[in-house]
Amino acid sequence: MADDRITRDQMLMGMAQVVARRSTCERSKVGVIVAVQSRPLVSGYNGAPAGMPHCDHTCNCGATDKYGDTVSDHDDTCAAEMPCTVAVHAEANAIAYAARHGIILAESILYSTLEPCYECAKLIINAGIVRVVYSMAYRSHLGLMLLREAGVETCYQGA
Protein backbone atom coordinates (compact mmCIF):
# COMPACT_ATOMS: atom_id res chain seq x y z
CA MET A 1 0.00 0.00 0.00
CA ALA A 2 1.43 3.38 -1.03
CA ASP A 3 1.81 6.06 1.59
CA ASP A 4 -0.62 8.80 0.53
CA ARG A 5 -0.18 10.85 3.68
CA ILE A 6 0.22 14.54 2.86
CA THR A 7 2.89 16.73 4.42
CA ARG A 8 2.07 19.28 7.08
CA ASP A 9 2.74 22.07 4.60
CA GLN A 10 0.27 20.49 2.17
CA MET A 11 -2.34 20.10 4.92
CA LEU A 12 -2.05 23.73 6.02
CA MET A 13 -2.00 25.03 2.43
CA GLY A 14 -5.15 22.99 1.79
CA MET A 15 -6.76 24.75 4.76
CA ALA A 16 -5.71 28.13 3.32
CA GLN A 17 -7.33 27.17 0.01
CA VAL A 18 -10.60 26.38 1.80
CA VAL A 19 -10.43 29.69 3.71
CA ALA A 20 -9.90 31.53 0.38
CA ARG A 21 -13.39 30.41 -0.66
CA ARG A 22 -14.79 32.80 2.00
CA SER A 23 -13.30 35.82 0.23
CA THR A 24 -15.71 38.56 -0.77
CA CYS A 25 -13.46 40.02 -3.46
CA GLU A 26 -14.56 39.18 -7.00
CA ARG A 27 -11.08 39.69 -8.53
CA SER A 28 -8.91 37.45 -6.40
CA LYS A 29 -9.78 35.03 -3.63
CA VAL A 30 -6.91 34.68 -1.16
CA GLY A 31 -6.78 32.60 2.02
CA VAL A 32 -4.25 32.47 4.87
CA ILE A 33 -3.56 30.15 7.77
CA VAL A 34 -1.02 31.06 10.46
CA ALA A 35 0.26 28.08 12.40
CA VAL A 36 2.72 27.09 15.11
CA GLN A 37 4.07 23.54 15.18
CA SER A 38 1.58 22.60 12.46
CA ARG A 39 -1.37 23.76 14.55
CA PRO A 40 -3.51 26.53 13.05
CA LEU A 41 -3.74 29.64 15.21
CA VAL A 42 -5.68 32.01 12.99
CA SER A 43 -7.07 32.33 9.47
CA GLY A 44 -7.85 35.23 7.18
CA TYR A 45 -9.21 35.97 3.73
CA ASN A 46 -9.36 39.08 1.60
CA GLY A 47 -12.45 41.21 1.40
CA ALA A 48 -14.05 44.49 2.34
CA PRO A 49 -13.69 45.69 5.93
CA ALA A 50 -16.27 44.18 8.29
CA GLY A 51 -19.74 45.59 7.72
CA MET A 52 -18.77 47.36 4.49
CA PRO A 53 -20.12 46.57 1.00
CA HIS A 54 -18.29 43.78 -0.83
CA CYS A 55 -15.83 44.54 -3.61
CA ASP A 56 -17.38 45.25 -7.00
CA HIS A 57 -15.24 44.73 -10.08
CA THR A 58 -18.01 44.92 -12.63
CA CYS A 59 -16.86 46.19 -16.00
CA ASN A 60 -17.94 49.80 -16.33
CA CYS A 61 -16.58 50.66 -19.74
CA GLY A 62 -17.40 48.10 -22.45
CA ALA A 63 -20.27 49.17 -24.66
CA THR A 64 -22.49 46.44 -26.07
CA ASP A 65 -24.46 46.10 -29.27
CA LYS A 66 -28.14 45.15 -29.55
CA TYR A 67 -27.17 41.46 -29.18
CA GLY A 68 -25.32 42.06 -25.91
CA ASP A 69 -21.87 41.56 -27.45
CA THR A 70 -19.09 43.85 -26.24
CA VAL A 71 -18.01 46.25 -28.97
CA SER A 72 -15.33 48.20 -27.13
CA ASP A 73 -12.34 47.10 -25.07
CA HIS A 74 -11.62 47.84 -21.44
CA ASP A 75 -10.11 51.26 -20.85
CA ASP A 76 -7.96 52.61 -17.99
CA THR A 77 -11.00 53.39 -15.84
CA CYS A 78 -12.54 49.91 -15.95
CA ALA A 79 -13.15 48.50 -12.47
CA ALA A 80 -12.63 44.98 -13.82
CA GLU A 81 -9.06 45.83 -14.86
CA MET A 82 -7.96 47.98 -11.90
CA PRO A 83 -6.39 46.65 -8.67
CA CYS A 84 -8.85 46.39 -5.80
CA THR A 85 -8.75 49.36 -3.42
CA VAL A 86 -11.54 48.14 -1.11
CA ALA A 87 -10.36 44.73 0.09
CA VAL A 88 -8.23 44.17 3.16
CA HIS A 89 -5.62 41.54 2.27
CA ALA A 90 -5.88 38.07 3.80
CA GLU A 91 -2.54 38.40 5.64
CA ALA A 92 -3.60 41.73 7.18
CA ASN A 93 -6.97 40.29 8.24
CA ALA A 94 -5.31 37.30 9.91
CA ILE A 95 -2.73 39.43 11.73
CA ALA A 96 -5.38 41.97 12.81
CA TYR A 97 -7.61 39.18 14.15
CA ALA A 98 -4.70 37.71 16.11
CA ALA A 99 -3.86 41.13 17.58
CA ARG A 100 -7.48 41.80 18.50
CA HIS A 101 -7.73 38.49 20.38
CA GLY A 102 -4.29 38.42 21.99
CA ILE A 103 -2.92 35.60 19.82
CA ILE A 104 0.88 35.72 19.63
CA LEU A 105 2.22 35.04 16.14
CA ALA A 106 5.94 35.11 16.99
CA GLU A 107 7.82 32.11 15.55
CA SER A 108 4.80 31.09 13.46
CA ILE A 109 4.45 30.07 9.81
CA LEU A 110 2.05 31.80 7.42
CA TYR A 111 0.45 29.76 4.62
CA SER A 112 -1.05 31.84 1.82
CA THR A 113 -2.66 31.00 -1.48
CA LEU A 114 -0.89 34.07 -2.94
CA GLU A 115 2.61 35.50 -2.53
CA PRO A 116 2.42 38.43 -0.06
CA CYS A 117 2.51 41.99 -1.36
CA TYR A 118 4.99 44.56 -0.03
CA GLU A 119 2.59 46.04 2.55
CA CYS A 120 1.63 42.63 3.91
CA ALA A 121 5.31 41.62 4.03
CA LYS A 122 5.93 44.51 6.44
CA LEU A 123 3.10 43.29 8.68
CA ILE A 124 4.41 39.71 8.54
CA ILE A 125 7.88 40.84 9.60
CA ASN A 126 6.58 42.96 12.49
CA ALA A 127 4.27 40.15 13.68
CA GLY A 128 7.32 37.92 14.16
CA ILE A 129 6.31 35.33 11.56
CA VAL A 130 9.44 33.38 10.58
CA ARG A 131 8.36 31.47 7.48
CA VAL A 132 5.94 32.11 4.61
CA VAL A 133 4.66 29.35 2.32
CA TYR A 134 2.69 30.46 -0.75
CA SER A 135 1.14 28.69 -3.73
CA MET A 136 0.78 31.40 -6.41
CA ALA A 137 3.03 34.26 -7.52
CA TYR A 138 1.89 37.87 -7.06
CA ARG A 139 2.28 40.49 -9.81
CA SER A 140 5.15 42.10 -7.87
CA HIS A 141 7.90 40.27 -5.99
CA LEU A 142 8.83 43.24 -3.76
CA GLY A 143 7.12 41.65 -0.76
CA LEU A 144 9.03 38.42 -1.21
CA MET A 145 12.29 40.33 -1.55
CA LEU A 146 11.58 42.27 1.66
CA LEU A 147 10.73 39.10 3.58
CA ARG A 148 13.98 37.47 2.49
CA GLU A 149 15.99 40.60 3.34
CA ALA A 150 14.47 40.51 6.84
CA GLY A 151 15.44 36.87 7.29
CA VAL A 152 11.96 35.40 6.87
CA GLU A 153 12.16 32.03 5.13
CA THR A 154 9.98 31.81 2.02
CA CYS A 155 8.82 28.68 0.26
CA TYR A 156 6.85 28.31 -2.97
CA GLN A 157 4.46 25.36 -2.87
CA GLY A 158 2.74 25.25 -6.24
CA ALA A 159 -0.84 24.18 -6.55
Side-chain angles (χ1 to χ4, degrees):
M1 180 174 169
D3 184 11
D4 62 348
R5 186 175 186 203
I6 62 174
T7 67
R8 291 174 178 172
D9 280 353
Q10 289 169 330
M11 175 187 73
L12 291 158
M13 185 60 72
M15 290 178 178
Q17 291 166 346
V18 170
V19 169
R21 294 172 62 192
R22 288 282 306 150
S23 171
T24 62
C25 185
E26 295 174 2
R27 273 191 96 217
S28 179
K29 297 192 176 293
V30 180
V32 162
I33 294 286
V34 183
V36 168
Q37 297 180 355
S38 301
R39 302 286 192 242
L41 297 176
V42 66
S43 64
Y45 52 87
N46 61 323
M52 303 298 292
H54 296 324
C55 307
D56 181 7
H57 298 283
T58 306
C59 177
N60 59 0
C61 63
T64 57
D65 61 19
K66 66 181 180 178
Y67 304 106
D69 295 324
T70 303
V71 294
S72 67
D73 291 332
H74 295 292
D75 64 25
D76 292 341
T77 64
C78 180
E81 297 297 313
M82 295 174 63
C84 185
T85 58
V86 175
V88 177
H89 289 191
E91 301 91 335
N93 271 327
I95 292 168
Y97 183 87
R100 187 178 203 181
H101 294 280
I103 300 169
I104 298 168
L105 300 181
E107 306 302 315
S108 64
I109 301 172
L110 184 140
Y111 294 84
S112 179
T113 58
L114 184 64
E115 175 184 332
C117 72
Y118 189 77
E119 292 301 314
C120 287
K122 292 190 286 186
L123 293 173
I124 290 166
I125 293 163
N126 281 354
I129 294 167
V130 297
R131 182 171 181 242
V132 173
V133 180
Y134 62 97
S135 64
M136 280 189 340
Y138 187 59
R139 66 180 172 260
S140 166
H141 301 296
L142 293 176
L144 207 56
M145 292 169 34
L146 182 64
L147 289 170
R148 290 174 179 161
E149 185 179 328
V152 176
E153 180 187 347
T154 61
C155 177
Y156 170 75
Q157 180 183 305

